[in-house]
Amino acid sequence: EVEQWGGGLINLLHYEDAASGSIAAIQAKVGPRVLLLSDDHPMPRTEIVNAALRSTKFQAKAAPTFTLDEGPKGKIFDTSTTRSLIDWAPRYSDFESFMRAN
């Protein structure tokens, strides 16, 4: 059991994508700015679990039960400005793509 609401949105980014985005930001020399990296495809917790369970790594596992009926909705980020400034895109366009690749 997970003491969370399964519908809350989570913004994801693979750690390799976070690293490559950070390097791109340094190399772009955009000055002192706050930049946000994300895959721009936030997913509810239940969809994250379902995507993982479709992967060969986790297909034999059982989905956890989310115990709360409501909770924070989460946030949707638009990182198009950051992507344009540093000429970068994540290797994995979303969590589903990452799970299919691994």
Side-chain angles (χ1 to χ4, degrees):
E1 289 188 349
V2 177
E3 198 171 326
Q4 293 281 330
W5 175 46
L9 294 174
I10 306 290
N11 289 276
L12 302 162
L13 187 65
H14 190 274
Y15 69 93
E16 290 176 355
D17 287 333
S20 72
S22 297
I23 291 168
I26 292 167
Q27 292 173 338
K29 298 179 183 175
V30 295
R33 299 181 146 223
V34 175
L35 302 174
L36 178 64
L37 299 172
S38 176
D39 70 7
D40 286 345
H41 295 281
M43 296 176 72
R45 290 175 178 88
T46 53
E47 287 184 29
I48 292 169
V49 168
N50 292 337
L53 293 175
R54 285 191 290 275
S55 164
T56 57
K57 287 185 177 185
F58 301 106
Q59 64 188 9
K61 303 288 184 184
T65 302
F66 293 96
T67 61
L68 300 182
D69 293 329
E70 59 184 37
K73 293 179 183 177
K75 296 179 181 178
I76 297 175
F77 298 133
D78 176 359
T79 63
S80 60
T81 299
T82 294
R83 290 177 187 219
S84 177
L85 280 171
I86 66 174
D87 190 27
W88 173 87
R91 175 178 173 194
Y92 301 105
S93 61
D94 55 33
F95 184 71
E96 189 91 36
S97 299
F98 166 72
M99 293 308 299
R100 279 194 305 268
N102 293 290

